[in-house]
Amino acid sequence: LEKTPYEVYKAGDNNEEELLNGCNTMESDAFVIPTYLLSGQPQTNLSNIKERLVGEFGENHANQMLNLLNLKSDEDAFRKFLDIISVYWFVHPHHSWSDLATANGVKTYKYLFSKQNGYYKSYHSGEMVYCYGNLARDTHTYRYNESDYKLSEIMVKYRTNFAKTGNPNGEGIPSWDLYNPLDQKILQLDEIVETIEDPYKDLYPIFDQIMDE
């Protein structure tokens, strides 16, 4: 590869005509939580979250993030730290990808998977069993309920329509609007499938700064 993917998109050398992409709400959990458990360090809480954010991103960016979080408890700090690492590792790259693709004239559909089932939740790759309609083949089927099967059916239809036509929309499923960087709206895949404002949109400018440094 002569260029990074970012450089390819920046130059407009990408080939696809349509793009469907997105992330899960708990992307980093399976990586970050075991790291602290195995190291013997406490999980992130109110007393150590600033230190950890400073260690990852520097004091200026850490303060910017903390100003957005409005933390009130150790549970808040634990969850928000994981969210920030998820955005850093997974969500922001997809956000940048969507923005660059849209700027290059690529029709883009963006999602956020947040379904909380009894096993995979919305961890990294937790949506895949839904995408391929494999809930009934999973050895943990007892952890799913009717809402999981309904969501899987919708997601399979989206992917099938997109593969056939470049557009995920079709009869009998909620409308999925094209992504527009100006309004930051995305499709949430959960018990209710609906268009929402991107919950991480205020973090993106901070990560843009970090990437530019």
Side-chain angles (χ1 to χ4, degrees):
L1 297 177
E2 296 178 351
K3 298 178 182 178
T4 66
Y6 179 81
E7 290 169 332
V8 169
Y9 276 85
K10 198 72 174 175
D13 292 334
N14 50 292
N15 296 318
E16 71 270 15
E17 297 177 5
E18 294 90 14
L19 172 65
L20 185 155
N21 83 113
C23 286
N24 301 353
T25 54
M26 302 172 72
E27 293 278 7
S28 72
D29 288 48
F31 305 99
V32 177
I33 294 174
T35 296
Y36 287 112
L37 286 174
L38 293 173
S39 69
Q41 299 180 63
Q43 297 293 343
T44 305
N45 54 53
L46 281 174
S47 66
N48 63 24
I49 186 170
K50 180 173 181 178
E51 177 186 352
R52 290 184 176 172
L53 289 174
V54 170
E56 292 285 345
F57 307 112
E59 186 156 7
N60 178 45
H61 297 308
N63 287 332
Q64 288 178 290
M65 293 172 186
L66 287 168
N67 287 337
L68 293 174
L69 298 184
N70 190 29
L71 301 176
K72 297 179 180 179
S73 66
D74 285 340
E75 184 178 350
D76 274 349
F78 173 73
R79 183 68 255 160
K80 294 298 184 182
F81 180 72
L82 290 169
D83 288 346
I84 286 173
I85 301 301
S86 287
V87 174
Y88 182 44
W89 286 353
F90 298 99
V91 184
H92 181 261
H94 277 273
H95 165 73
S96 298
W97 186 15
S98 296
D99 279 359
L100 286 169
T102 302
N104 291 341
V106 175
K107 294 179 180 179
T108 301
Y109 298 90
K110 188 177 178 185
Y111 71 84
L112 180 68
F113 179 86
S114 55
K115 184 69 171 73
Q116 297 297 298
N117 56 61
Y119 189 70
Y120 294 108
K121 301 186 183 296
S122 59
Y123 296 144
H124 179 67
S125 77
E127 84 283 19
M128 301 310 294
V129 67
Y130 291 79
C131 291
Y132 294 107
N134 283 333
L135 292 185
R137 296 174 179 271
D138 195 310
T139 57
H140 303 282
T141 52
Y142 62 91
R143 299 181 190 266
Y144 304 113
N145 59 37
E146 184 179 347
S147 68
D148 293 295
Y149 286 96
K150 180 180 178 181
L151 176 59
S152 179
E153 182 179 349
I154 292 171
M155 290 172 65
V156 168
K157 287 181 179 178
Y158 280 142
R159 301 278 175 139
T160 303
N161 292 340
F162 184 79
K164 289 179 178 179
T165 69
N167 186 330
N169 290 290
E171 186 177 349
I173 51 178
S175 178
W176 191 342
D177 296 333
L178 282 168
Y179 171 68
N180 183 345
L182 296 179
D183 65 20
Q184 295 292 304
K185 298 291 180 63
I186 58 177
L187 188 75
Q188 184 173 40
L189 300 171
D190 208 318
E191 295 206 13
I192 298 176
V193 177
E194 61 183 345
T195 300
I196 63 167
E197 188 174 74
D198 191 327
Y200 307 119
K201 67 182 183 66
D202 292 335
L203 282 171
Y204 296 147
I206 300 175
F207 285 106
D208 287 339
Q209 294 173 24
I210 293 171
M211 294 300 108
D212 289 339
E213 290 177 352

